[in-house]
């Protein structure tokens, strides 16, 4: 009899434990946005005979992450809750630059500097504002 009461109490406690949580619910994942250029890019008249690598853009810490930043009317920086870039801003911008050069056919070869390709020139970009 005593064993049956203990078993009942343990089953009740186990069922109750599944209903109670001391941890907060995890937040919803942010909606992500990729950096995208113009839908249609006009092809260059002639392709330059050199290759180009695109270095990872330099950005201030406030703009270098995945958080989507906005400038308020008073000039202060704020981050949009529940929204994020699909990649850290410098990586997204580098990808966008490579895609744009490729789509325009402006140079013979365009590659991110992370590809370790030997190129004639390197494009370096510094991101100071993002609007």
């Amino acid at each position: 009899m005593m064993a049956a009461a203990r078993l009942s109490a343990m089953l009740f406690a186990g069922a109750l434990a599944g209903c109670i949580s001391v941890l907060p619910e995890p937040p919803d994942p942010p909606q992500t946005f990729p950096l995208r250029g113009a839908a249609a890019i006009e092809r260059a008249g002639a392709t330059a005979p050199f290759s180009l690598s695109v270095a990872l853009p330099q950005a201030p810490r406030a703009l270098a992450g995945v958080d989507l930043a906005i400038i308020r009317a008073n000039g202060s920086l704020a981050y949009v809750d529940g929204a994020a870039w699909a990649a850290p801003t410098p990586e997204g911008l580098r990808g966008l630059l490579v895609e744009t050069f490729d789509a325009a056919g402006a140079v013979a070869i365009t590659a991110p500097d992370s590809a370790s390709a030997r190129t004639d020139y390197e494009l370096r970009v510094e991101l100071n504002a993002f609007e």
Side-chain angles (χ1 to χ4, degrees), residues 11-107:
L11 288 174
F12 179 72
L16 188 59
C19 298
I20 299 173
S21 174
V22 294
L23 299 174
E25 290 292 319
D28 291 332
Q31 183 176 0
T32 57
F33 298 92
L35 278 174
R36 291 196 177 129
I41 297 173
E42 189 173 323
R43 296 282 301 173
T47 300
F50 57 83
S51 58
L52 177 72
S53 66
V54 180
L56 188 65
Q58 299 297 308
R61 185 177 297 163
L63 299 176
V66 294
D67 295 327
L68 222 127
I70 58 170
I71 304 289
R72 293 183 174 159
N74 66 4
S76 66
L77 187 69
Y79 296 103
V80 179
D81 190 34
W85 293 117
T89 308
E91 291 175 21
L93 182 56
R94 176 176 59 188
L96 180 60
L97 288 167
V98 170
E99 288 174 18
T100 302
F101 275 104
D102 284 345
V107 295

Side-chain angles (χ1 to χ4, degrees), residues 100-122:
T100 302
F101 275 104
D102 284 345
V107 295
I109 298 172
T110 311
D113 65 344
S114 62
S116 301
R118 186 174 175 100
T119 58
D120 299 313
Y121 295 99
E122 179 181 52

